[in-house]
Amino acid sequence: MTKHPSILPLKIENLEYEAGGKHLVKNINCEFSQGKRYLLLGPNGAGKTLLLRLCHGLLKPKSGKVVWSSGKDINPKHHQAMVTQRPVMLRRSAYANIDYALSIRGVDKALRPDMINAVIQRTGLTRVAHKLATVLSLGEQQRLAIARAWVLKPQVLFMDEPTASLDPPATHSIEELIHEISAEGTTVIMTCHDLGQAKRLATDVLFMFRGRIKEMSSADEFFSGPQNDLAQAFLDGQLIWWKRRPDKDDVQI
Amino acid sequence: MNDLWQAFFKAISLVVTLDDKLLEIVFLSLRLSLSAVGIALFIALPLGAVLALTKFPGRRILVIIINVFMGLPPVVVGLFVYLLLSRSGPFGVFGLLFTPTAMIIAQVILVVPIVTAITRQVLEELHLEYDELLRSLDVPWYRKVTALVWDARFSLTTAALAGFGRAISEVGAVMIVGGNIDHLTRVMTTAIALEARKGDLVMALALGLVLLAVALGINLFAYSITETVKRRHQ
Ligand SMILES: Nc1ncnc2c1ncn2[C@@H]1O[C@H](COP(=O)(O)OP(=O)(O)OP(=O)(O)O)[C@@H](O)[C@H]1O
Ligand SMILES: [Mg+2]
């Protein structure tokens, strides 16, 4: 990974996204720097998934830019990976799923088995390695998706609620894994709904509400008392339900 | 009633003793239909893949045309090929009418739509399922296609079997363009039609039994494929 020039920082400039006639992501401006663990927080429907997908290039913005800091000789797409909320499983064995990702990145066939076995063991998938991926349990699929992304040693790893369907031990081991991935230098940008997990993982927090980033600060600052009222209400568990009204962000708390 | 039973047992003995005349017809049938399916696959798989994975003007119309062709009565296809190949037709100079080649052409035209349609549907569904991951990994288009085709290989085999079933069991088209000439273009279905009309129930029944066995074989094969897939799911 260190062989390649860094694709970070990632700059998001005036990013807007619309779908179905709705303005869903509004005026996002932020910067992600190398080595950090960013947690996107916010209520359901805030636009967290959309923002991740926009950053990763799965969605085209209506306007604005996603700018990677890479030179001409490096393709930023090949140095990032994403674990989606509902991971896509190839109709092959778990092992073959990981192998496919490596083969697409052009990793030498002889080098792959060791890499695959290591990551399978690390994600606790040994028992199901040769089962068809599409029949694994949701939690196993999620771990496989993480394994398949991690094995690529990406510079940036996007994860959308990676522990949403995991049991407590698996959640714990994925959190450890995320620390490990991060310690290897990978920048992590992820969402989750578990504030405890956010506290354990985040170096930085982005709080989203109705398609906007309402607050971006270090984890320490955020959890000791965010500037934004909505963020505070969210932390207090009081920001529960809201109706989308065009361009009005005030809510009854 | 007694006559029928007698005919039936004679027919079985024809099959069991591997009667020469019977075998000739059976092998010609298999040879023609297998060739037709082989050629059809060369056309239908790429065509189905293109329809499933690309967008171009006229794509929808092509899909509709293929669906129409799928439901076309074989005799009409036979008539169409007959007109093309007849001496006054555009391809008359090749002298193909009433040859096995003409029959293969007719069968190809019958098989291509069905295999194309299944291929398109299977690949389109799988593509929808895979798209997000393939784009996330930035997979080049040709490797997308190979991954989709490979992971859909069982369904695509079933499509080929369906095509073979249509080819081997079809009467009207091959009757018209082949002419049902003994030793040359007489296949199982046309022979059955002829023998039944002549009143030679033994030969007709024997061929019917073989055809039944072929159909059974195709279905068993398709079934074993689905079972293999299911077993892999456990
Ligand atoms: N293609 C689309 N067309 C219309 N609306 C959409 C589309 N995609 C997303 N949305 C809407 O955009 C909003 C934000 O969606 P998003 O998936 O980003 O939310 P989220 O913050 O990830 O929520 P959750 O925590 O539930 O995962 C939602 O209200 C959703 O209904
Ligand atoms: Mg989401």
Side-chain angles (χ1 to χ4, degrees):
Chain A
M1 183 162 60
T2 43
K3 293 192 298 279
H4 297 286
S6 178
I7 61 171
L8 289 158
L10 162 64
K11 290 194 184 109
I12 309 297
E13 295 169 2
N14 305 319
L15 201 69
E16 308 271 344
Y17 181 74
E18 267 183 18
K22 284 188 188 145
H23 199 177
L24 298 168
V25 171
K26 300 167 191 163
N27 192 29
I28 305 282
N29 283 286
C30 59
E31 186 170 325
F32 299 96
S33 11
Q34 209 250 310
K36 297 204 173 184
R37 294 182 300 274
Y38 294 92
L39 259 285
L40 258 64
L41 297 179
N44 290 130
K48 307 180 293 293
T49 298
L50 289 179
L51 182 56
L52 283 188
R53 296 167 68 86
L54 284 162
C55 291
H56 187 45
L58 289 178
L59 293 175
K60 263 180 98 89
K62 179 187 163 246
S63 61
K65 276 194 218 146
V66 173
V67 187
W68 298 93
S69 317
S70 48
K72 276 210 180 89
D73 44 327
I74 176 166
N75 184 348
K77 283 192 175 164
H78 295 179
H79 298 276
Q80 48 176 304
M82 179 155 181
V83 176
T84 47
Q85 212 161 356
R86 283 181 223 94
V88 176
M89 295 287 120
L90 298 177
R91 296 181 189 174
R92 308 176 180 196
S93 70
Y95 184 98
N97 263 267
I98 303 172
D99 188 63
Y100 184 71
L102 286 172
S103 82
I104 289 299
R105 278 295 154 274
V107 176
D108 188 33
K109 208 168 185 150
L111 300 175
R112 287 186 227 153
D114 284 345
M115 297 170 78
I116 300 170
N117 287 325
V119 82
I120 278 180
Q121 200 186 10
R122 188 60 192 84
T123 46
L125 290 169
T126 316
R127 204 176 45 82
V128 295
H130 296 286
K131 270 202 196 183
L132 197 66
T134 42
V135 299
L136 299 183
S137 80
L138 209 54
E140 287 163 345
Q141 291 190 354
Q142 203 130 34
R143 279 184 274 161
L144 175 55
I146 294 173
R148 193 175 56 195
W150 185 31
V151 79
L152 301 175
K153 303 288 171 217
Q155 290 188 27
V156 179
L157 180 56
F158 296 101
M159 286 190 280
D160 201 357
E161 300 185 34
T163 62
S165 37
L166 300 187
D167 59 34
T171 301
H172 179 74
S173 84
I174 292 303
E175 286 179 13
E176 273 187 355
L177 191 61
I178 291 171
H179 276 291
E180 205 170 308
I181 292 170
S182 165
E184 287 177 7
T186 296
T187 302
V188 174
I189 304 176
M190 63 181 279
T191 69
C192 80
H193 284 297
D194 177 349
L195 292 178
Q197 176 171 83
K199 277 181 197 162
R200 289 190 292 277
L201 289 177
T203 62
D204 290 78
V205 174
L206 290 87
F207 176 74
M208 280 192 83
F209 187 77
R210 290 190 182 177
R212 291 181 203 277
I213 293 182
K214 287 287 174 187
E215 175 145 356
M216 181 168 186
S217 53
S218 77
D220 288 344
E221 275 168 22
F222 186 83
F223 289 112
S224 63
Q227 305 285 311
N228 187 279
D229 292 346
L230 293 168
Q232 184 62 55
F234 181 74
L235 282 183
D236 296 342
Q238 285 172 347
L239 185 63
I240 31 173
W241 203 246
W242 51 276
K243 260 202 203 141
R244 180 177 286 281
R245 271 172 298 169
D247 289 322
K248 278 201 177 158
D249 286 346
D250 54 315
V251 283
Q252 304 289 320
I253 298 170
Chain B
M1 197 63 208
N2 235 349
D3 282 358
L4 268 186
W5 277 116
Q6 246 178 1
F8 185 68
F9 285 119
K10 277 189 188 158
I12 289 183
S13 86
L14 270 192
V15 176
V16 173
T17 57
L18 302 176
D19 177 76
D20 277 348
K21 194 176 164 221
L22 181 89
L23 280 191
E24 187 190 348
I25 296 175
V26 170
F27 280 128
L28 181 66
S29 283
L30 291 175
R31 189 164 63 80
L32 293 189
S33 294
L34 285 174
S35 316
V37 170
I39 295 167
L41 286 179
F42 266 100
I43 303 167
L45 289 180
L47 185 58
V50 166
L51 288 174
L53 307 176
T54 64
K55 288 200 176 83
F56 55 89
R59 176 185 170 278
R60 285 178 72 89
I61 291 170
L62 200 55
V63 169
I64 292 170
I65 290 174
I66 284 162
N67 284 337
V68 169
F69 261 77
M70 208 162 51
L72 222 53
V75 259
V76 175
V77 172
L79 184 64
F80 176 68
V81 176
Y82 179 91
L83 292 176
L84 289 179
L85 298 184
S86 67
R87 206 169 302 156
S88 52
F91 300 106
V93 284
F94 298 112
L96 289 175
L97 201 60
F98 306 134
T99 63
T101 311
M103 298 162 81
I104 292 178
I105 292 172
Q107 290 191 354
V108 167
I109 295 176
L110 288 170
V111 172
V112 164
I114 196 173
V115 180
T116 306
I118 300 178
T119 302
R120 180 188 69 84
Q121 189 179 351
V122 164
L123 291 182
E124 209 167 80
E125 273 167 24
L126 195 61
H127 184 235
L128 215 61
E129 189 180 317
Y130 280 11
D131 187 48
E132 186 176 68
L133 176 68
L134 297 180
R135 285 200 297 138
S136 172
L137 289 171
D138 197 30
V139 179
W141 71 267
Y142 54 93
R143 297 203 63 178
K144 274 189 197 183
V145 175
T146 44
L148 290 169
V149 169
W150 177 250
D151 285 3
R153 61 194 181 281
F154 295 113
S155 312
L156 295 180
T157 310
T158 318
L161 288 176
F164 182 70
R166 178 146 161 112
I168 196 128
S169 63
E170 190 284 320
V171 204
V174 290
M175 183 76 98
I176 295 179
V177 303
N180 196 19
I181 304 165
D182 204 5
H183 307 301
L184 182 64
T185 61
R186 182 162 299 169
V187 290
M188 286 195 273
T189 50
T190 57
I192 291 175
L194 178 73
E195 305 295 349
R197 204 171 44 212
K198 283 198 326 201
D200 183 356
L201 285 186
V202 176
M203 196 50 165
L205 268 174
L207 287 166
L209 286 173
V210 176
L211 211 49
L212 205 65
V214 171
L216 201 67
I218 294 173
N219 277 293
L220 274 179
F221 189 27
Y223 176 77
S224 76
I225 289 172
T226 15
E227 281 305 296
T228 316
V229 176
K230 267 195 213 150
R231 218 171 306 121
R232 277 158 45 95
H233 281 235
Q234 274 154 17

